[in-house]
């Protein structure tokens, strides 16, 4: 019996043992096996015992890694439901045309990627022929996140299917003429084919998880039953290094998203070399996914390996496969049988004996060709297992060879990502390998021909029949002929026109109040999707908790600590709010899924995502480009906005530049409203444009970015007169004049135009009063709701002029006849208001909060940046002094008076 004192302490020592003798016997048995059969046999028995325990439902920690072998043994593989020979011919045509398209494009200097699809061809082909549901059947079909660099293979299949022409293939990466193909999946460029832009690596897996989750959300809320839709994400093993790739794995398992499958193409190579040169990426990914609660299916070796595994009576082969690093596996792919015999088999006497039973051809077949991802039966079995598994998402780790079938010059070479073409001789070798009926005479002037068996060929009919049985072509994007959503009642918007009287209200609160009214709308209220990354209470949204509920697939399995309060924390299976925790990336992925539901599921949803403005564009701008690429619609709301409004928070929270970043995104309509009625007007117009009746020439596939502030201020009534609503939407209108403000300047007083945006307009109004009362200057105040939209309108006017059309920019028309110079003020860096400078005919100057933020009071921060009311007065006087309209001494006097 083993001496108990020799056992190392563990957490089990803290638990009472009701039968120490039985425990000691088990331990002694393990020791005996180790001594008699060796540690490898003992480890094997332990793994099998733990697997049995897990299968019986015993609560034990799961194994994070299994052996470097297939999860599904050959004997357990289901029969492929189809004509394997026919599918092999289809795959051969697709391989050929993908390589031909990229090679022909390389002659035009546009390049492309060949090796990725070559390794993953069967991963896609099996899915298209047997699993991926189309959009013409019941429900919404499946959602396919295609690996970006594999796009040539998808185009090749669409060409075989008759959905793309030879001319379009020849315009791969040549879109300017209007009949080209984008290099990667891009809905904005090819909206009938691509649903999801995926080549910004890491965003595809993150979005796929939240898309699967949003599908559940739609079903649970009764919007649409999409329970039969499955999300497939095709990824590269190198892509998994991106933090976004694995950021939401536990969300997927926690919520039991068995409507989601990751297919990771483990060709062991990233763009410039091995993914894990000295380690094993498959084992690392298995441990990560298992540890995160996913079902893992490994499809590593082809059927040629069956004989080797049957010969492995000592476990030496499995041990060797587990220890050989990935870079060495890559090397085996390029070396001869003698090298493999010596380096792989020569490390263990048992393997030396095994190798004696293997021919050189068998060794080369195993190490050069036979991979799980290259055999349709292996892939089919893995997909069937993924769909059969319930209660958790599945990841399929499929081992392939990068550049497979492209010849020795491509396969497993570190440089194959940068290799853009094959020579004519290499194509002829590929033709012979794939057994394609393409003659030498078809290579005219060294140009590789496209291959097609004919529109009525058996391959094409088979392909189309399979797709018809699965619900139509895939991938495909459908823009449904949706009826415009009815506009909410004007009452919700008009209530802000009266202002707040003496009550101080921050524009953040004004926006939340507006949304509270809009979600009550009987016709469209249920379509709002409020999204917030954990700080809903910061934005005053806690009142929405009990009325709308927070979405959770489990509902509320506990009694909330604040249950006796009016605004308690309420979770529900049909909850409307997506409260994501501290993840801006996850919240953006939510937003993208909701904002594109009009196309993905034929259901228009109205997402609004409210966040600290500093942690929006700065942190997740790549996803906001993804949102624009995917033609998303909705409202992004940057709350606690501006560089001087967050008292004491300091530079990491002080947003002085989000409108600059937003201005770079063509799909983003960026607004910096000052007043509650402006917010209401902008949201009303946004609902019309995105979800109602867009005006001729307006693109509904845009999203709005509104900055709102946490500074409580009096909210004025909307000014009367014509053009106010138009000015709010277009970006500029006159809020008041010195006279309408009751300041009664003297006759012939110098006059200046003050343009303010967001919270800065309040200091501008204060400066207007100081200028009149202390310096005899008349100032008119304008609200600049969008510097960016003013600039875009002006750029369009410039372009029209070059076409010979007469058009005046709106900013110039609005300011036409306004007396005096213009001084623009913003709580953002001067670059924001300076966007319009070149189109303002008057003398133009600006003030802004450039530099890093600081921790202090609002007043001190504004004085520091020179944007408070007194600083505006000095800047206005200096501008007038340069024009000779006030004495130069007035500027010095003002600085001294205000202590500047």
């Amino acid at each position: 019996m083993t001496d108990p004192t020799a056992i190392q302490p563990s957490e089990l020592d803290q638990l009472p043992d009701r039968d120490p003798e039985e425990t000691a016997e088990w331990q002694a048995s393990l020791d005996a096996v180790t001594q008699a059969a060796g540690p490898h046999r003992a480890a094997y028995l332990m793994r099998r015992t733990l697997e049995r325990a897990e299968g019986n439902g015993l609560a034990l920690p799961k194994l994070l890694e299994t052996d470097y072998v297939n999860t599904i043994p050959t004997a357990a593989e289901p029969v492929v439901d189809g004509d394997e020979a026919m599918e092999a011919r289809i795959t051969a045509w697709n391989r050929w045309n993908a390589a031909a398209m990229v090679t022909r494009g390389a002659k035009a200097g546009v390049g492309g990627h060949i090796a990725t699809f070559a390794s993953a061809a069967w991963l896609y082909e099996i899915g298209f022929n047997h699993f991926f549901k189309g959009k013409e059947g019941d429900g919404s079909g499946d959602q396919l996140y295609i690996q970006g660099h594999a796009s040539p293979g998808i185009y090749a299949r669409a060409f075989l299917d008759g959905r793309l022409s030879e001319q379009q293939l020849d315009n791969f990466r040549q879109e300017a003429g209007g009949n080209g193909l984008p290099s990667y999946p891009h809905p904005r460029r090819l909206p009938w084919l691509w649903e999801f832009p995926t080549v910004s690596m890491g965003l595809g897996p993150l979005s796929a998880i939240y898309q699967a989750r949003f599908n559940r959300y739609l079903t649970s809320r009764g919007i649409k039953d999409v329970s039969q839709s499955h999300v497939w994400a095709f990824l590269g093993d190198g892509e998994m290094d991106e933090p976004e790739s694995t950021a939401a794995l536990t969300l997927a398992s926690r919520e039991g998203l068995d409507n989601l499958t990751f297919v990771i193409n483990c060709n062991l190579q990233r763009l410039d070399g091995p993914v894990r040169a000295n380690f094993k990426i498959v084992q690392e990914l298995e441990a990560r996914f298992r540890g995160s609660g996913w079902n893992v299916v490994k499809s590593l070796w082809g059927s040629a390996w069956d004989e080797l595994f049957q010969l492995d009576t000592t476990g030496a082969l499995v041990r060797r496969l587990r220890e050989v690093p990935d870079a060495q596996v890559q090397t085996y792919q390029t070396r001869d049988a003698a090298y493999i015999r010596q380096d792989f088999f020569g490390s263990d006497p048992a393997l030396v004996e095994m190798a004696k039973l293997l021919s050189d051809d068998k060794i080369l077949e195993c190490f050069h060709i036979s991979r799980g991802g290259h055999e349709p039966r292996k892939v089919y079995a893995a997909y069937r297992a993924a769909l059969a598994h319930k209660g958790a998402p599945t990841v399929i780790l499929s081992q392939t060879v990068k550049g497979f079938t492209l010849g020795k010059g491509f396969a497993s070479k570190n440089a194959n990502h940068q290799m853009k073409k094959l020579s004519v001789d290499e194509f002829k070798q590929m033709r012979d390998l794939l057994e394609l009926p393409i003659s030498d005479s078809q290579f005219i002037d060294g140009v590789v021909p496209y291959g097609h068996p004919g529109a009525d060929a058996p391959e094409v009919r088979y392909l189309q029949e399979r797709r018809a049985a699965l619900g139509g072509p895939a991938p495909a994007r459908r823009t449904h002929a949706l009826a415009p959503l009815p506009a909410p009642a004007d009452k919700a918007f008009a209530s802000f026109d009266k202002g707040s009287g003496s009550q101080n209200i921050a524009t953040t609160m004004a926006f939340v109040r507006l949304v509270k009214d809009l979600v009550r709308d009987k016709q469209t209220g249920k379509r709002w999707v409020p999204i917030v990354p954990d700080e809903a209470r910061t934005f005053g949204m806690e009142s929405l908790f009990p009325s709308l509920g927070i979405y959770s697939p489990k509902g509320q399995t506990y009694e909330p600590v604040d249950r006796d309060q009016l605004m308690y924390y309420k979770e529900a299976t049909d909850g409307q709010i997506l409260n994501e925790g501290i993840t801006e990336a996850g919240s953006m992925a939510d937003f993208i899924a909701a904002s594109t539901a009009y196309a993905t599921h034929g259901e228009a949803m109205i997402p609004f995502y409210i966040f600290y403005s500093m942690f929006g564009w700065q942190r997740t701008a790549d996803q906001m480009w993804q949102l624009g690429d995917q033609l998303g619609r909705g409202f992004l709301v940057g709350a606690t906005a501006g560089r001087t409004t967050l008292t004491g928070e300091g530079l990491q929270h002080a947003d002085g530049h989000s409108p600059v970043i937003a201005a770079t995104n063509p799909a983003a309509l960026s607004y910096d409203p000052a007043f509650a009625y402006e917010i209401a007007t902008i949201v009303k117009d946004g609902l019309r444009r995105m979800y109602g009746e867009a005006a001729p020439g307006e693109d509904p596939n845009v999203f709005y970015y509104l900055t709102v502030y946490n500074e409580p201020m009096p909210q004025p009534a909307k000014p009367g007169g014509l053009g106010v609503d138009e000015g709010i939407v277009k970006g500029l209108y006159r809020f008041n004049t010195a006279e309408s403000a009751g300041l009664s300047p003297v006759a012939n007083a110098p006059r200046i135009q003050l343009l303010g945006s967001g919270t800065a307009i309040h200091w501008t109004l204060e400066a207007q009063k100081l200028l009149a009362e202390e310096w005899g200057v008349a100032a008119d105040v304008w609200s600049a709701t969008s510097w960016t939209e003013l600039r875009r309108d002006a750029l369009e006017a410039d372009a029209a002029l070059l076409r010979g059309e007469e058009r005046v920019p709106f900013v110039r028309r609005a300011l036409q006849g306004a007396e005096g110079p213009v001084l623009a003020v913003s709580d953002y860096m001067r670059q924001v208001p300076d966007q319009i400078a070149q189109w303002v005919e008057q003398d133009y100057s600006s003030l802004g909060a450039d530099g890093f933020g600081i921790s202090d009071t609002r007043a001190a921060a504004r004085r520091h940046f020179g944007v408070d009311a007194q600083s505006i007065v000095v800047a206005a006087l200096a501008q007038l002094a340069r024009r000779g309209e006030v004495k130069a001494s007035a500027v010095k006097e003002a600085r001294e008076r205000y202590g500047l």
Side-chain angles (χ1 to χ4, degrees):
M1 184 176 294
T2 303
D3 179 4
T5 62
I7 301 174
Q8 293 297 315
S10 74
E11 71 277 5
L12 295 179
D13 294 333
Q14 302 177 49
L15 305 176
D17 189 344
R18 69 180 185 182
D19 193 341
E21 185 174 353
E22 181 186 35
T23 302
E25 289 174 355
W26 277 77
Q27 293 168 339
S29 298
L30 179 62
D31 291 342
V33 171
T34 303
Q35 293 168 7
H40 299 296
R41 176 61 179 169
Y44 176 84
L45 292 175
M46 286 299 298
R47 286 198 299 272
R48 288 291 180 261
T49 302
L50 287 173
E51 288 173 358
R52 175 59 63 88
E54 182 180 341
N56 289 337
L58 297 182
L60 289 173
K62 292 185 178 181
L63 286 171
L64 294 186
E65 288 186 30
T66 59
D67 284 325
Y68 202 68
V69 296
N70 294 347
T71 303
I72 305 169
T74 301
E77 292 170 2
V79 176
V80 177
D81 180 23
D83 186 333
E84 293 184 59
M86 182 67 72
E87 292 179 22
R89 293 204 297 273
I90 292 171
T91 306
W93 285 116
N94 293 340
R95 287 182 182 278
W96 176 272
N97 287 321
M101 176 175 58
V102 174
T103 298
R104 289 167 69 124
K107 289 183 176 293
V110 296
H113 301 289
I114 302 177
T116 295
F117 177 73
S119 67
W122 276 113
L123 301 182
Y124 292 106
E125 202 60 43
I126 287 296
F128 285 129
N129 285 330
H130 301 280
F131 294 96
F132 303 157
K133 294 188 288 291
K135 297 182 177 298
E136 295 173 4
D138 295 335
S140 301
D142 288 352
Q143 288 83 58
L144 308 180
Y145 288 78
I146 304 295
Q147 191 178 0
H149 292 118
S151 63
I154 309 305
Y155 290 141
R157 196 173 204 277
F159 170 64
L160 195 66
D161 191 15
R163 294 200 291 162
L164 287 176
S165 67
E166 186 171 314
Q167 180 188 17
Q168 286 174 299
L169 294 193
D170 256 356
N171 285 334
F172 174 59
R173 292 192 168 197
Q174 299 174 72
E175 299 179 79
N179 196 33
L181 301 178
S183 52
Y184 304 119
H186 205 307
R188 190 169 285 275
R189 289 296 181 221
L190 203 62
W192 61 268
L193 181 72
W194 297 120
E195 275 197 287
F196 308 107
T198 53
V199 84
S200 189
M201 293 188 189
L203 300 190
L206 179 69
S207 292
I209 290 173
Y210 281 88
Q211 181 66 57
R213 197 282 201 92
F214 190 74
N215 290 355
R216 292 279 176 86
Y217 171 91
L218 284 179
T219 301
S220 296
R221 290 197 52 221
I223 301 293
K224 182 179 182 180
D225 183 358
V226 295
S227 57
Q228 299 306 306
S229 290
H230 199 84
V231 178
W232 300 83
F234 289 82
L235 317 168
D237 47 1
E239 181 178 4
M240 302 311 292
D241 284 347
E242 289 284 3
E244 295 91 348
S245 294
T246 55
L249 296 186
T250 52
L251 167 72
S253 60
R254 186 170 65 244
E255 300 204 1
L257 299 182
D258 51 22
N259 60 337
L260 170 67
T261 298
F262 276 13
V263 181
I264 302 182
N265 178 16
C266 297
N267 56 37
L268 313 184
Q269 289 181 248
R270 55 165 76 109
L271 307 186
D272 285 327
V275 178
R276 293 290 183 271
N278 296 297
F279 307 93
K280 301 192 78 63
I281 184 61
V282 168
Q283 300 299 88
E284 179 183 321
L285 291 175
E286 179 184 27
R288 177 171 289 191
F289 278 88
R290 282 186 181 276
S292 298
W294 286 54
N295 176 47
V296 179
V297 176
K298 293 198 290 192
S299 182
L300 307 180
W301 307 111
S303 55
W305 283 82
D306 291 348
E307 179 183 343
L308 276 68
F309 288 125
Q310 290 170 3
L311 294 172
D312 185 28
T313 58
T314 66
L317 176 62
V318 173
R319 290 197 302 273
R320 182 65 175 145
L321 289 173
R322 194 165 58 237
E323 70 188 22
V324 174
D326 284 352
Q328 192 63 22
V329 174
Q330 181 186 356
T331 298
Y332 294 148
Q333 177 68 32
T334 65
R335 304 302 286 268
D336 60 19
Y339 177 89
I340 298 171
R341 284 183 188 276
Q342 178 181 351
D343 191 86
F344 182 84
F345 291 98
S347 62
D348 187 295
L351 293 180
V352 171
E353 294 303 313
M354 179 187 294
K356 291 178 181 179
L357 303 174
L358 304 175
S359 67
D360 285 356
D361 287 345
K362 182 67 175 182
I363 289 175
L364 292 179
E365 180 186 12
C366 288
F367 284 84
H368 285 191
I369 300 172
S370 188
R371 298 289 187 274
H374 298 323
E375 295 195 8
R377 289 197 176 197
K378 304 290 184 187
V379 177
Y380 184 90
Y383 287 7
R384 277 279 173 237
L387 293 182
H389 188 83
K390 300 303 178 185
T394 294
V395 59
I396 296 170
L397 302 175
S398 184
Q399 187 164 259
T400 66
V401 174
K402 194 169 185 179
F404 188 66
T405 73
L406 296 180
K408 293 181 179 179
F410 266 83
S412 282
K413 295 298 178 66
N414 282 339
N416 58 22
H417 186 76
Q418 282 71 39
M419 298 165 70
K420 311 298 183 186
K421 58 185 177 181
L422 297 173
S423 68
V424 169
D425 287 341
E426 288 170 326
F427 265 109
K428 290 179 179 179
Q429 293 170 11
M430 182 182 178
R431 171 201 61 190
D432 296 341
L433 175 66
L434 298 176
E435 300 180 345
L436 290 173
I438 298 173
S439 66
D440 287 355
S441 62
Q442 291 178 259
F443 292 82
I444 301 173
D445 297 328
V447 177
V448 58
Y450 294 117
H452 200 293
D456 293 325
E459 296 95 324
V460 176
R461 291 200 304 271
Y462 180 90
L463 182 157
Q464 293 174 342
E465 288 168 2
R466 299 301 299 187
R467 288 311 317 157
L470 287 165
R477 181 180 182 274
R478 294 286 184 266
T479 301
H480 302 264
L482 299 179
L485 292 183
D490 275 343
K491 180 181 178 182
F493 305 102
S495 63
F496 291 89
D497 292 350
K498 298 178 293 184
S500 64
S502 59
Q503 183 182 9
N504 290 340
I505 298 176
T507 52
T508 298
M509 292 305 303
F511 178 83
V512 172
R513 288 187 184 183
L514 174 62
V515 169
K516 286 173 63 178
D517 290 339
L518 294 176
V519 296
R520 294 192 187 105
D521 185 88
K522 292 182 179 179
Q523 293 181 294
T524 61
K526 68 178 182 179
R527 297 192 175 272
W528 284 86
V529 183
I531 303 167
V532 61
D534 193 47
E535 294 203 73
R537 297 181 192 278
T538 299
F539 310 131
M541 293 175 60
E542 63 268 29
S543 61
L544 298 178
F545 288 168
S547 58
L548 301 184
I550 299 166
Y551 171 73
S552 170
K554 289 185 175 296
Q556 195 153 36
T557 61
Y558 60 92
E559 183 178 355
V561 67
D562 54 358
R563 183 62 181 87
D564 57 344
Q565 298 179 14
L566 180 63
M567 293 181 285
Y568 69 97
Y569 196 86
K570 177 187 175 183
E571 297 188 76
T573 55
D574 60 350
Q576 193 164 348
I577 301 170
L578 293 172
N579 192 12
E580 289 303 351
I582 305 174
T583 168
E584 287 85 2
S587 299
M588 270 305 303
D590 267 336
F591 188 91
I592 292 169
S595 70
T596 54
Y598 72 92
T600 309
H601 295 299
E603 295 289 343
M605 304 299 288
I606 312 171
F608 80 87
Y609 165 33
I610 188 166
F611 50 88
Y612 268 75
S613 66
M614 185 65 164
F615 306 140
W617 287 88
Q618 174 165 300
R619 183 164 290 183
T620 57
D622 196 12
Q623 287 177 282
M624 290 162 178
W625 272 99
Q626 179 189 8
L627 169 64
D629 290 345
Q630 203 166 314
L631 289 78
R633 305 170 183 175
F635 296 95
L636 297 176
V637 183
T640 60
R643 183 149 278 166
T644 69
T645 62
L646 276 173
T647 54
E649 289 285 3
L651 66 90
Q652 289 184 325
H653 286 66
D655 172 25
H657 57 278
S658 69
V660 178
I661 307 176
T664 66
N665 191 313
L669 277 61
S670 179
Y671 287 89
D672 187 25
F675 305 123
Y677 66 79
E678 292 177 352
I679 292 172
T681 302
I682 293 164
V683 170
K684 180 180 180 181
D685 192 69
L687 291 172
R688 175 199 61 79
R689 176 171 178 170
M690 295 185 291
Y691 300 97
E693 297 283 358
E698 278 187 328
D699 182 4
N701 298 316
V702 295
F703 61 93
Y704 283 65
Y705 175 54
L706 279 71
T707 50
V708 294
Y709 297 82
N710 68 325
E711 188 169 12
M713 300 293 288
Q715 295 298 324
K718 180 190 286 191
L722 298 174
V724 173
D725 283 357
E726 179 190 22
I728 291 172
V729 172
K730 287 186 174 295
L732 183 68
Y733 69 97
R734 181 152 46 195
F735 176 73
N736 70 15
T737 64
E739 291 78 9
S740 66
L743 297 174
S744 303
V746 298
N748 300 318
R751 187 173 290 270
I752 189 169
Q753 308 299 317
L754 301 179
L755 279 57
S757 67
T759 196
I761 203 168
H762 297 285
W763 332 321
T764 305
L765 289 167
E766 186 180 345
Q768 178 190 41
K769 185 177 181 181
L770 291 174
L771 282 167
E773 295 178 350
E774 299 185 10
W775 305 99
V777 172
D780 300 338
V781 173
W782 300 68
S783 180
T785 55
S786 180
W787 309 100
T788 301
E789 287 306 297
L790 291 173
R791 175 179 174 80
R792 288 176 176 170
D793 173 80
L795 289 172
E796 290 174 4
D798 287 354
L801 287 173
L802 294 177
R803 296 192 300 267
E805 303 171 16
E806 288 296 328
R807 182 173 167 189
V808 179
F810 178 82
V811 64
R812 186 171 295 170
R813 285 190 283 118
L815 291 170
Q816 188 173 15
E819 298 178 32
V822 169
L823 175 61
V825 188
S826 166
D827 202 30
Y828 293 93
M829 57 197 305
R830 289 176 64 182
Q831 187 174 339
V832 175
D834 284 351
Q835 291 181 88
I836 67 170
Q838 73 184 81
W839 293 280
V840 176
E841 293 181 314
Q842 294 88 341
D843 292 341
Y844 188 89
S845 184
S846 65
L847 296 175
D850 286 75
F852 289 107
I854 62 170
S855 296
D856 214 311
T857 64
R858 290 177 178 134
R862 287 163 187 166
R863 177 57 58 91
H864 169 79
F865 286 111
V867 292
D868 60 352
Q870 291 77 13
S871 298
I872 295 172
V873 169
V874 171
L877 293 174
Q879 205 169 356
L880 291 168
R882 286 194 296 271
R883 295 163 55 92
E885 296 181 27
V886 301
K887 294 179 180 180
S889 60
V891 180
K892 180 181 179 182
E893 181 183 348
R895 282 202 302 266
E896 292 174 349
R897 181 182 301 183
Y898 300 135
L900 298 178

